[in-house]
Amino acid sequence: MGELGKIYSSPVMCPPTSFLKEDGTQNSKFVINASGLSVDVAAASAQRSSSSGRGNGSLDEVLPVTVEPIDPPSTMRLSVPENISLLVVNHSSETMNLQIQLRLSRMSGVVVCGPSFVTLGSVPPSGGSCSIDFRLVALVAGLFSVSGCFIVDLTTGIEVEQPVLFDVFAKLPADGNEEEEKKDSLL
């Protein structure tokens, strides 16, 4: 039936929940409500350009290009390929000739099904973006982090490893009666 007990973790520091300054004006230092990595990098870039300088290791310098899933699934069925759309955003100040790669050696449980790289071509600077579809398949049941995504600038050869794209629970198929499962979900 499971185990009973307490789970302990290290303290977690959450950002403030109020985004207004004491005088009632908006505080633009924080990105609000379910922002993604691209939004955070764009905010860091805007903050850096309004201040003065480079070389401070800000987020937009560490990740000049970001990749984010568009509406990723929370569950996948075992051995059933699923299309995943990814948004690629160029945060640098120069046009980049990009290729996106999903590297099998860095993936676990959920892997790419089909071509593992796509050449995107020229992506405009300062927020230029494109989207691309990949097919992923779950090989074993369990909770997995989809990772192994790299962006390669084909002009300079620079590789930018992306953080984990999303987490997904790979589940076993129903008792072979998928039609009944669909009917039950409609009721």
Side-chain angles (χ1 to χ4, degrees), residues 122-133:
S122 294
V123 179
S126 304
S129 64
C130 63
S131 63
I132 187 73
D133 291 336

Side-chain angles (χ1 to χ4, degrees), residues 108-169:
S108 175
V110 176
V111 298
V112 66
C113 176
S116 61
F117 69 93
V118 174
T119 301
L120 303 172
S122 294
V123 179
S126 304
S129 64
C130 63
S131 63
I132 187 73
D133 291 336
F134 277 99
R135 290 181 67 141
L136 299 179
V137 64
L139 299 178
V140 293
L143 181 62
F144 298 98
S145 294
V146 176
S147 58
C149 182
F150 285 76
I151 292 291
V152 179
D153 182 345
L154 297 175
T155 304
T156 64
I158 294 173
E159 296 183 355
V160 180
E161 183 174 7
Q162 298 296 305
V164 169
L165 295 175
F166 62 96
D167 294 319
V168 64
F169 181 71

Side-chain angles (χ1 to χ4, degrees), residues 21-82:
K21 294 179 184 177
E22 289 179 12
D23 63 359
T25 60
Q26 187 170 0
N27 184 351
S28 62
K29 189 171 183 175
F30 297 102
V31 179
I32 303 172
N33 193 13
S35 68
L37 182 59
S38 293
V39 175
D40 294 336
V41 173
S45 178
Q47 184 175 9
R48 182 177 45 80
S49 65
S50 68
S51 57
S52 59
R54 285 208 165 291
N56 61 357
S58 68
L59 193 54
D60 64 311
E61 291 176 333
V62 174
L63 290 170
V65 180
T66 56
V67 178
E68 288 188 80
I70 301 170
D71 196 24
S74 58
T75 61
M76 291 177 68
R77 290 192 328 248
L78 196 63
S79 302
V80 178
E82 188 159 339

